[in-house]
Amino acid sequence: MSDDFGMVEPQEGEAFGDEWEEIDVTDDAADRIARRRDRDFDEFRMRMKDADQFKVEQSVFDDATFAAIYKLVQDGYISAFGGPISTGKEANVYEALGAEETDVAVKIYRINASDFRHMRDYLEGDPRFESIGNDKGQVVRAWVRKEFANLERAQRAGVRVPKPIAVQRNVLVMELVGLVEDRARRLSEVNVENPDTAYEVTREYMRRLHRAGLVHGDLSEYNLIIHEGELVVIDLGQAVTVHHPNAEEFLRRDCRNIAKFFQRQGADADPDSLYEFVTADEETDEE
């Protein structure tokens, strides 16, 4: 394998598996701030609503969303906002300045606009969310905390993902991979010069995810980006544990998507062989 698309290493001392602690989605500090509505928060909320990048969101960002941003600012995770990196039906991602003047990405899910039914398909059957009811706000908050937990687990497993930094209610702060003026490109947008090498890295990351107890669930050339010679796996909000009732179906779909893409790029890729590689146990590797 060439130096292109070099892989990161797993973190030492981590026993991988699909054991998970239940994630709390009850009211947090942001909800309490929104209810209290003191003068400092009210002034912050009005400044945010007057900012150009948030004016169009006034109807979909509730007070608790602004309170979540306020709490992240108070805690030092955000010091200034830039413009939007991407906008979607469920979430917007903004460039921001974080601690020690580092560039970060802030992903804000719209609770009122999110696809509740789509999210439930991935949450139901996940042991981390057995207590989630039908409250839309709780489902969206669970989704964001799941994305944060999935990113943490993937990073420990040695999968190159945006580093998760902080989460508050429906707002996620993470590493910004590339800048707005020099953004990382999705594989779907580039000509892959070394498709065999890129495929090897991708399938190894898929196997590391699986051994860490995760299935991406929506993996394709649209959720793989390349930046400074690295492949980065993104959009892990929907990733499920290997014991999710639809985990095998999701994994086989991921394998089909990835194999078809790399076949078109000229790599020797096959969905069934990819599935066998991803699900092989460590004892098989040593034989």
Side-chain angles (χ1 to χ4, degrees):
M1 184 180 293
S2 71
D3 292 336
D4 293 333
F5 308 111
M7 286 183 285
V8 298
E9 294 298 323
Q11 295 181 13
E12 295 183 2
E14 174 68 16
F16 299 130
D18 66 323
E19 65 283 354
W20 303 93
E21 59 187 45
E22 185 176 345
I23 294 179
D24 182 13
V25 294
T26 55
D27 284 4
D28 58 15
D31 295 285
R32 292 190 290 273
I33 289 169
R35 284 196 299 269
R36 190 168 64 246
R37 292 281 296 272
D38 62 21
R39 186 178 64 183
D40 289 341
F41 169 62
D42 271 341
E43 290 177 354
F44 175 86
R45 181 173 61 90
M46 293 309 299
R47 288 200 306 273
M48 292 293 290
K49 287 191 172 186
D50 287 340
D52 289 340
Q53 62 265 55
F54 291 105
K55 282 181 179 178
V56 296
E57 305 297 347
Q58 290 189 31
S59 62
V60 288
F61 284 180
D62 60 11
D63 283 353
T65 297
F66 288 114
I69 300 170
Y70 177 72
K71 183 68 167 59
L72 290 164
V73 170
Q74 283 188 321
D75 292 343
Y77 295 113
I78 302 171
S79 59
F81 265 94
I85 299 171
S86 64
T87 59
K89 291 189 298 183
E90 295 180 349
N92 284 6
V93 182
Y94 298 89
E95 186 178 25
L97 199 61
E100 300 179 356
E101 297 190 348
T102 57
D103 293 302
V104 298
V106 181
K107 189 173 187 177
I108 305 176
Y109 279 89
R110 304 183 188 89
I111 288 182
N112 293 331
S114 294
D115 188 342
F116 175 84
R117 289 171 298 178
H118 165 72
M119 290 181 172
R120 289 214 64 92
D121 289 343
Y122 290 94
L123 289 172
E124 288 178 350
D126 189 321
R128 294 170 291 176
F129 302 96
E130 291 177 350
S131 62
I132 299 300
N134 293 317
D135 178 83
K136 189 170 186 178
Q138 281 201 354
V139 170
V140 174
R141 281 180 283 178
W143 185 270
V144 180
R145 290 188 176 274
K146 180 163 85 92
E147 184 167 5
F148 184 86
N150 289 344
L151 287 169
E152 285 189 318
R153 176 57 66 106
Q155 185 180 38
R156 290 196 297 267
V159 178
R160 180 66 174 99
V161 296
K163 178 183 177 182
I165 297 172
V167 62
Q168 188 68 237
R169 201 174 181 267
N170 56 318
V171 182
L172 171 65
V173 182
M174 56 189 166
E175 171 194 3
L176 177 60
V177 181
L179 302 177
V180 172
E181 63 272 15
D182 183 28
R183 71 177 180 87
R185 300 288 175 179
R186 300 177 191 270
L187 280 192
S188 61
E189 299 176 310
V190 301
N191 178 33
V192 182
E193 295 183 359
N194 301 297
D196 288 316
T197 303
Y199 177 59
E200 288 296 315
V201 173
T202 302
R203 72 176 195 152
E204 177 61 27
Y205 281 168
M206 292 174 70
R207 178 156 72 173
R208 290 182 183 184
L209 278 176
H210 192 266
R211 288 180 175 175
L214 278 179
V215 172
H216 187 285
D218 192 29
L219 192 61
S220 72
E221 64 270 28
Y222 300 99
N223 289 321
L224 287 165
I225 61 176
I226 181 169
H227 180 63
E228 296 183 346
E230 282 189 319
L231 276 177
V232 185
V233 183
I234 61 172
D235 295 338
L236 271 78
Q238 75 292 316
V240 300
T241 69
V242 294
H243 288 308
H244 188 283
N246 297 324
E248 182 174 356
E249 174 190 344
F250 293 158
L251 178 57
R252 287 195 178 275
R253 184 176 65 193
D254 287 351
C255 290
R256 288 194 300 271
N257 290 339
I258 292 300
K260 287 180 180 178
F261 171 74
F262 282 105
Q263 283 172 358
R264 294 195 299 270
Q265 300 296 314
D268 182 14
D270 171 75
D272 292 332
S273 298
L274 177 56
Y275 177 85
E276 291 177 6
F277 177 85
V278 170
T279 58
D281 56 37
E282 295 186 47
E283 288 76 12
T284 302
D285 297 346
E286 298 171 358
E287 293 178 358

